[in-house]
Amino acid sequence: MKINLPKTSQLLDNKFIFGVATAAFQIEGGADSRLPCIWDDFCSQPGRIKDGSDGLVACDHIHRWQDDLELIESLHVDAYRFSVAWGRVINADGSINQQGMDFYSQLLDALQAKGIKAFVTLYHWDLPSYLQQQGGWLNRNIVDKFRDYADKVSQAFGDRVYSYATLNEPFCSAYLGYEAGIHAPGVQDRQSGRQVAHHLLLAHGAAMQVLQKNCPTALNGIVVNVSPCYAASASEADKRAAQMADSYHNQWYIQPLLEGSYPDLLQQLPEHERPVIEEGDMALIAQPLDYLGINYYTRTVFEATSQGWFRDVKPTTAPLTEMGWEVFPQGLTEILLSLHQRYALPPVYITENGAAMPDELLQGQVDDPRRVAYFEQHLLAVHAAIEQGVRIGGYFAWSLMDNFEWAEGYLKRFGIVYVDYPTQQRTMKTSGLALQQLFQSKKNKALNPIS
Ligand code: FCB
């Protein structure tokens, strides 16, 4: 199967970056060589993870990274996005864990040797447990801890990193972790969620200052998840609900980052549910960004509640992925355009996009035509946004391989490479082969622009 893009598409330009993405807790395993984190603790609580699994072994990437890197290279990607496990590189007393730092150092050297750009995420949700015991993201001191962590990592990695992201999806850490309680650490409290969001944004700002000082030539920024919010009906109440949801889920993070202010919705919240914001905070959050990372999977539909708030309506009819998420590629073009119209956006990178499908390994093959179609449709959606003026520098498929999908455990497969967990054998899916062909044809075109 082939992914077809218009011949003249800017996605096929030499400068456009194609890559695959992973995150430490989801693939590494090797839990005995790092400190425990909030996701280890969450997994050990009965009922939290659908299949009762954990991240102790995951894809055993810690021991198989060289093979995995060969797999990445075989895809002809320009870049690889991965995250650093905080508790693998920093000890509880704040000193460096040299063995952990060496692991990432070797990875960076190997990527460099293969000519693959490293996109490093500093925080993809695995807060060390000892920091959680001190209050975690609820304790404002976390800002200093994160700044120090960013400083130590960026000094150790030097100029081998092409791009840093301070945080991955602060909305998920704050809302899913502290308000909805379905992610670690599993707290359900509105004010806590908002306070955590504020501390995450502050930590981002503090780390940005460090990154710009230590790595002025790297592309430094942050990754947010966005989902265009639609009204469930044409009623005024539902339209207002969708707008509020957009303010709360999307703009709550993007507006502080780009304009140094929260959406007006904040003023409408009862006083005791607002975050504590100190003088100077908003300026720290709004550090200039070299790029904005956007993760996109689906749209969301909202209806009004009787309390004047909003609630999402689960999709039922449209094509759905295994996550129950609607396949809605035009939402990606729409949200990119609306952000472009509303803000002075820095260059954008699509840092995650992909789908969980009911994959099966049959006679050594995994045929996933629906995932191939998903990628093609979303790449075309990116193409359409570029055509309409949005500056987009790259696209990363989520994910390189099947892995630990948070509260869903290993039940949901997002990889373009299939992982058979009992044997840890990797098998390239049809979607992996299709992306491989696309990435290779882009490289060939760059070498031979006339053809
Ligand atoms: C995103 C996460 C990523 C992965 C995908 C499916 O929210 O950043 O780790 O779980 O969803």
Side-chain angles (χ1 to χ4, degrees):
M1 277 186 89
K2 246 191 112 181
I3 292 175
N4 288 306
L5 299 180
K7 277 219 162 55
T8 54
S9 175
Q10 286 190 39
L11 269 69
L12 300 173
D13 273 5
N14 193 14
K15 287 196 306 282
F16 195 83
I17 292 176
F18 278 128
V20 286
T22 62
F25 192 84
Q26 294 178 278
I27 64 162
E28 281 182 1
D32 51 350
S33 49
R34 59 159 172 78
L35 297 176
C37 73
I38 53 174
W39 272 94
D40 295 308
D41 303 335
F42 198 61
C43 292
S44 66
Q45 296 170 18
R48 293 297 203 177
I49 312 296
K50 289 255 168 69
D51 58 358
S53 63
D54 54 47
L56 299 180
V57 176
C59 305
D60 196 29
H61 173 71
I62 208 82
H63 299 115
R64 294 165 197 268
W65 67 273
Q66 279 153 314
D67 290 345
D68 289 339
L69 213 54
E70 274 176 33
L71 206 54
I72 294 170
E73 186 182 27
S74 78
L75 287 163
H76 299 282
V77 293
D78 305 295
Y80 173 47
R81 174 176 178 241
F82 63 94
S83 80
V84 175
W86 190 337
R88 190 177 287 292
V89 295
I90 305 291
N91 298 315
D93 64 1
S95 63
I96 289 176
N97 175 337
Q98 200 51 51
Q99 202 195 337
M101 212 54 111
D102 289 348
F103 168 71
Y104 296 108
S105 245
Q106 285 177 340
L107 184 65
L108 289 172
D109 286 342
L111 285 168
Q112 205 168 40
K114 293 182 190 301
I116 299 170
K117 297 178 169 66
F119 276 62
V120 173
T121 305
L122 291 175
Y123 185 72
H124 202 126
W125 307 355
D126 43 359
L127 188 75
S129 303
Y130 73 90
L131 289 172
Q132 185 62 30
Q133 281 148 22
Q134 297 166 29
W137 289 105
L138 267 176
N139 181 340
R140 198 178 157 102
N141 277 342
I142 196 75
V143 178
D144 295 331
K145 306 272 184 195
F146 190 67
R147 180 194 287 115
D148 187 55
Y149 162 57
D151 190 30
K152 293 204 165 89
V153 169
S154 54
Q155 286 201 35
F157 291 180
D159 60 7
R160 291 172 294 177
V161 175
Y162 183 83
S163 167
Y164 278 104
T166 53
L167 307 175
N168 177 70
E169 302 187 352
F171 163 84
C172 292
S173 301
Y175 181 81
L176 301 181
Y178 280 86
E179 185 169 335
I182 55 175
H183 275 191
V187 176
Q188 272 182 310
D189 178 61
R190 279 188 169 175
Q191 200 279 336
S192 296
R194 291 159 192 165
Q195 195 61 55
V196 162
H198 188 63
H199 290 159
L200 281 157
L201 290 169
L202 282 176
H204 152 79
M208 274 303 287
Q209 291 182 329
V210 162
L211 293 174
Q212 298 295 34
K213 181 169 142 276
N214 292 353
C215 327
T217 57
L219 203 61
N220 299 315
I222 184 170
V223 170
V224 296
N225 54 307
V226 294
S227 179
C229 300
Y230 287 71
S233 79
S235 77
E236 285 309 313
D238 284 353
K239 281 198 231 161
R240 220 175 21 250
Q243 269 167 16
M244 281 167 71
D246 176 56
S247 291
Y248 200 56
H249 291 176
N250 300 319
Q251 317 305 337
W252 200 270
Y253 300 86
I254 300 175
Q255 191 176 319
L257 289 167
L258 297 179
E259 294 184 341
S261 61
Y262 280 106
D264 294 342
L265 181 62
L266 184 132
Q267 299 307 326
Q268 296 164 32
L269 302 174
E271 183 96 44
H272 67 277
E273 284 191 5
R274 292 185 206 160
V276 177
I277 301 172
E278 293 183 11
E279 215 185 303
D281 282 2
M282 299 316 290
L284 177 59
I285 292 171
Q287 297 300 306
L289 298 173
D290 297 334
Y291 80 99
L292 180 67
I294 294 276
N295 293 352
Y296 176 84
Y297 289 92
T298 187
R299 72 160 170 172
T300 357
V301 178
F302 292 93
E303 64 185 9
T305 67
S306 51
Q307 297 89 40
W309 200 236
F310 52 85
R311 158 174 67 219
D312 60 324
V313 182
K314 298 268 169 272
T316 47
T317 48
L320 303 179
T321 69
E322 287 293 285
M323 298 292 281
W325 297 347
E326 182 182 352
V327 178
F328 197 73
Q330 60 269 47
L332 177 53
T333 312
E334 264 171 51
I335 190 97
L336 287 168
L337 286 178
S338 72
L339 293 175
H340 173 60
Q341 278 150 15
R342 175 160 172 185
Y343 297 105
L345 281 184
V348 166
Y349 284 73
I350 308 301
T351 31
E352 282 180 32
N353 176 238
M357 293 293 172
D359 302 320
E360 261 187 298
L361 181 63
L362 292 174
Q363 284 141 12
Q365 292 188 348
V366 181
D367 198 24
D368 56 344
R370 289 182 57 207
R371 188 179 283 108
V372 178
Y374 182 98
F375 281 128
E376 182 174 78
Q377 290 161 356
H378 286 79
L379 285 162
L380 287 169
V382 174
H383 167 78
I386 295 177
E387 292 280 288
Q388 290 170 79
V390 190
R391 282 184 300 162
I392 304 179
Y395 173 95
F396 291 77
W398 182 271
S399 176
L400 164 66
M401 57 187 159
D402 297 334
N403 55 49
F404 176 78
E405 180 46 37
W406 310 113
E408 304 288 326
Y410 297 95
L411 298 174
K412 301 292 187 292
R413 296 179 175 272
F414 273 90
I416 59 171
V417 171
Y418 185 91
V419 177
D420 178 54
Y421 294 107
T423 61
Q424 289 293 348
Q425 206 188 329
R426 278 79 160 132
T427 306
M428 188 85 75
K429 301 179 191 176
T430 302
S431 59
L433 296 169
L435 285 175
Q436 179 180 53
Q437 201 179 25
L438 174 74
F439 298 164
Q440 187 172 26
S441 68
K442 190 208 76 166
K443 282 200 173 158
N444 288 346
K445 187 168 164 248
L447 291 174
N448 186 6
I450 317 288
S451 69

